[in-house]
């Protein structure tokens, strides 16, 4: 909280995005008039993993953004992380969805976000040449069909999450009442949104600074271990993007698998 306070107090253009577990940052974000973002199963405001900074301008996603969507789809399809065939199929189809949908955006146009149902539809019709690959794609489409039109997993990012704010804290404890598959997917989507947060591009070509904070990593590792994979995949931005990622926990053992971040 002290580090966040110093950033907010000395860098007027800075943006802080934090993932909390257990309200430890709650008093601080309230006092500094940031946003304490929580999920309520009765209030269907969600985060779309397909969304990213630059989509509204018609900019194509980079490889990291595509990889995060692939990870999301593999989890929903109950596919193991080392299933290379499924990963290749989903990467090709997700890339094609982006090619189809991103050009609908641009300056002055209403934002159009790809969503889960675009993936399911294209998986069902994609012209794979190999019969074996077509069969595997059909299996993936069948598994993902379960979540078509799901209010939490197949919808654009709610405006409340998209609004600009100097300081946002996402509270993972608020997911406790959700079904397990939805809870885990939303937790990973929060992490993906945070690690893809970058500052505004300034006229001189530099970006305004961003601090990305993951608090209580030991709890995250115990309850949402996939978040560590999301961090490993997404937290590759450094000084050239004016982004600093900070993870707070109790012991080095909590960083198993992500020591290189």
């Amino acid at each position: 909280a002290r580090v966040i306070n110093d950033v907010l107090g000395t860098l007027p253009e800075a943006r802080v995005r934090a993932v909390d577990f257990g309200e430890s940052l709650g008093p601080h974000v309230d006092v500094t008039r940031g946003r304490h973002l929580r999920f309520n199963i009765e209030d269907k405001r969600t985060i779309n993993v397909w969304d990213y900074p630059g989509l509204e301008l018609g900019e194509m996603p980079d490889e990291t953004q595509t990889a995060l969507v692939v990870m999301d789809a593999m989890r929903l399809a109950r596919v193991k992380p080392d299933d290379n065939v499924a990963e290749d199929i989903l990467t090709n189809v997700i890339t094609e969805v982006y090619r189809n949908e991103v050009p609908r955006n641009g300056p002055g146009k209403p934002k159009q976000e790809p969503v889960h149902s675009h993936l399911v539809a294209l998986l069902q019709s994609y012209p794979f040449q190999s019969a074996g690959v077509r069969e595997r794609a059909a299996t993936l489409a069948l598994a993902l069909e379960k979540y078509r039109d799901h209010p939490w997993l197949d919808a654009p990012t709610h405006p409340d999450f998209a609004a600009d704010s100097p300081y946002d804290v996402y509270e993972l404890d608020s997911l406790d009442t959700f079904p397990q598959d939805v809870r885990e997917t939303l937790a990973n989507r929060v992490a993906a949104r945070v690690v893809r947060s970058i500052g505004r591009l300034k006229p001189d070509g530099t970006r305004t600074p961003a601090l990305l904070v993951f608090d209580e990593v030991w709890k995250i590792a115990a309850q949402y271990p996939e978040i560590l994979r999301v961090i490993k995949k997404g937290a590759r931005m450094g000084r050239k993007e004016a982004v600093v990622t900070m993870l707070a926990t109790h012991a080095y053992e909590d960083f198993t698998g992500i020591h290189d971040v």
Side-chain angles (χ1 to χ4, degrees), residues 34-50:
R35 299 191 306 172
H36 200 182
L37 300 171
R38 304 177 59 84
F39 295 91
N40 182 341
I41 199 167
E42 303 298 332
D43 182 11
K44 295 177 175 58
R45 297 180 300 160
T46 193
I47 290 174
N48 180 19
V49 72
W50 293 77

Side-chain angles (χ1 to χ4, degrees), residues 178-193:
F178 285 71
Q180 182 176 350
D181 54 347
V182 178
R183 179 173 71 243
E184 293 176 351
T185 301
L186 286 176
N188 292 340
R189 290 185 177 189
V190 166
R193 187 168 184 83

Side-chain angles (χ1 to χ4, degrees), residues 91-127:
T91 299
N92 286 336
V93 177
I94 287 168
T95 299
E96 191 65 24
V97 169
Y98 272 130
R99 287 179 183 148
N100 294 340
E101 300 300 323
V102 173
R104 300 174 183 268
N105 294 277
K109 296 181 179 180
K111 187 176 180 181
Q112 302 289 329
E113 297 179 23
V115 292
H116 178 78
S117 54
H118 289 113
L119 169 60
V120 176
L122 194 56
L123 263 177
Q124 294 169 338
S125 62
Y126 197 85

